[in-house]
Amino acid sequence: QEFSWTFRTKDSPFEEIWAIVLSATNGTSKDGNNIAAVAFNGRDGEDEIDARAIPPLTPDPFRLVFVNQNVSYERDIRNADGRLSHHWFFVVENAKAGSSVTISWELSVQLTRDNRQYQGLQLVEFDQNGGVVNVVPMTPADGQVGSYTYTSGGEAARFFRIDVQKASILAAKNMAKGT
């Protein structure tokens, strides 16, 4: 009769654990402490180390949330499994029309060293049709903290992606849609 079993001796690190802490400000409003990270025993889907976004208490609140499989997260932690790249999609919602919105990030020390595993870090901005509008390097050489500012057109949501990659295959601003 066939049988199978699973066992584990200990965690084996395929990559260092690291984090990117994001916040968004809209003049008077701020949504901070949103975390994209990798850790041992994290999963791409929802798990116990992720934190779902809290439902808004007021209509049309300004906020930044990660989106993954139709669920909103404040903290989305993936597995440190040594893959070539990690990607997080997030949205900035309900910024007032004409306001300056600043997305700020703080990189953990493991992403700022010269000999880090992941050399490509960038913030990709999308339009409402899914086309790439802007690609912003998240340059660790400038330190652990960076930011990107845009003027809100009054849209309900503005879409972004964080790319953390070992390979040099990064999205380009002039990349044709669908290629």
Side-chain angles (χ1 to χ4, degrees):
Q1 194 174 38
E2 290 186 36
F3 65 96
S4 66
W5 70 94
T6 303
F7 68 93
R8 167 184 261 161
T9 56
K10 67 175 187 172
D11 287 327
S12 58
F14 295 102
E15 67 182 271
E16 296 180 90
I17 60 172
W18 48 264
I20 301 171
V21 179
L22 292 172
S23 66
T25 57
N26 179 25
T28 58
S29 300
K30 179 177 182 176
D31 185 4
N33 202 31
N34 297 278
I35 301 172
V38 298
F40 303 122
N41 299 324
R43 289 192 299 268
D44 287 348
E46 187 171 12
D47 59 37
E48 63 278 354
I49 56 179
D50 293 331
R52 281 193 177 201
I54 298 169
L57 299 174
T58 60
D60 301 329
F62 174 77
R63 65 188 196 153
L64 182 155
V65 292
F66 295 104
V67 289
N68 185 9
Q69 300 174 354
N70 299 320
V71 178
S72 298
Y73 294 96
E74 297 289 329
R75 182 178 63 221
D76 190 7
I77 309 213
R78 311 282 175 80
N79 192 18
D81 57 7
R83 64 185 76 176
L84 293 177
S85 62
H86 295 276
H87 306 279
W88 284 267
F89 289 91
F90 70 92
V91 61
V92 175
E93 298 177 323
N94 304 313
K96 293 179 179 144
S99 65
S100 287
V101 176
T102 300
I103 299 170
S104 301
W105 58 83
E106 182 174 350
L107 306 174
S108 64
V109 173
Q110 293 82 0
L111 290 175
T112 60
R113 297 191 319 232
D114 291 334
N115 61 348
R116 67 188 182 279
Q117 287 183 331
Y118 292 90
Q119 296 295 317
L121 285 88
Q122 65 184 15
L123 176 70
V124 181
E125 181 181 9
F126 297 94
D127 63 19
Q128 298 298 318
N129 298 318
V132 175
V133 173
N134 203 358
V135 177
V136 180
M138 299 171 77
T139 322
D142 296 337
Q144 290 178 258
V145 179
S147 65
Y148 170 66
T149 301
Y150 68 91
T151 302
S152 172
E155 63 276 349
R158 180 85 57 115
F159 302 93
F160 297 89
R161 183 183 70 216
I162 296 174
D163 295 331
V164 181
Q165 298 179 284
K166 288 182 183 179
S168 60
I169 305 170
L170 302 173
K173 184 177 179 181
N174 59 1
M175 186 169 118
K177 186 178 176 188
T179 59

